[in-house]
């Protein structure tokens, strides 16, 4: 075997491995538990969290140009003497919260 062929094979293998790794990482979902923990941590910085929930099944989400998979969840917290409930939508790929809104 010639050194030129050997080095070319290693280079092609390394580049292919890198590209496959990036493709797999971009299509990997974050667990619903990790997303809920992240949301609860953010709420705990502002108030006391009394309860929380998250759907394990991912949903399709589309808002004009954005199409992704999401988790829906909710948090119950105490603000002063009032109990408030909030629902959130989080991106299933990144865990980023897309929207939070109060429930009446």
């Amino acid at each position: 075997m010639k050194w030129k062929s050997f080095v070319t094979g290693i280079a092609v293998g390394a580049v292919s491995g890198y590209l496959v790794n990036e493709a797999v990482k971009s299509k990997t979902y974050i667990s619903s538990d990790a997303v809920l923990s992240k949301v609860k941590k953010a709420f705990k910085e502002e108030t006391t969290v009394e309860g929380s929930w998250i759907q394990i099944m991912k949903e399709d989400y589309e808002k004009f140009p954005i199409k992704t998979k999401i988790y829906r969840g909710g948090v119950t917290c105490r603000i002063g003497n009032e109990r408030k409930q909030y629902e959130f939508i989080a991106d299933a790929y990144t865990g980023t919260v897309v929207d939070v809104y109060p429930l009446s």
Side-chain angles (χ1 to χ4, degrees):
M1 178 172 14
K2 297 181 180 180
W3 281 103
K4 190 175 187 182
S5 299
F6 181 71
V7 171
T8 302
I10 288 177
V12 168
V15 170
S16 298
Y18 174 78
L19 293 175
V20 167
N21 183 39
E22 290 300 311
V24 168
K25 282 194 319 188
S26 70
K27 295 297 180 188
T28 304
Y29 297 111
I30 293 181
S31 76
S32 58
D33 289 334
V35 172
L36 184 58
S37 294
K38 182 179 175 180
V39 171
K40 283 174 39 177
K41 182 179 177 185
F43 268 87
K44 285 180 181 178
E45 290 177 4
E46 301 293 325
T47 186
T48 303
V49 174
E50 293 185 346
S52 61
W53 62 273
I54 191 163
Q55 290 179 343
I56 296 173
M57 299 298 292
K58 295 170 272 307
E59 296 179 25
D60 290 324
Y61 180 77
E62 183 176 343
K63 195 164 191 176
F64 186 53
I66 308 299
K67 294 177 183 176
T68 190
K69 295 277 190 183
I70 57 142
Y71 292 115
R72 288 188 186 273
V75 176
T76 302
C77 57
R78 182 155 308 271
I79 299 176
N81 290 329
E82 270 189 83
R83 182 180 288 175
K84 299 273 188 174
Q85 292 182 330
Y86 294 90
E87 192 167 283
F88 65 87
I89 299 171
D91 187 288
Y93 294 107
T94 64
T96 303
V97 175
V98 177
D99 197 7
V100 177
Y101 46 90
L103 297 177
S104 47

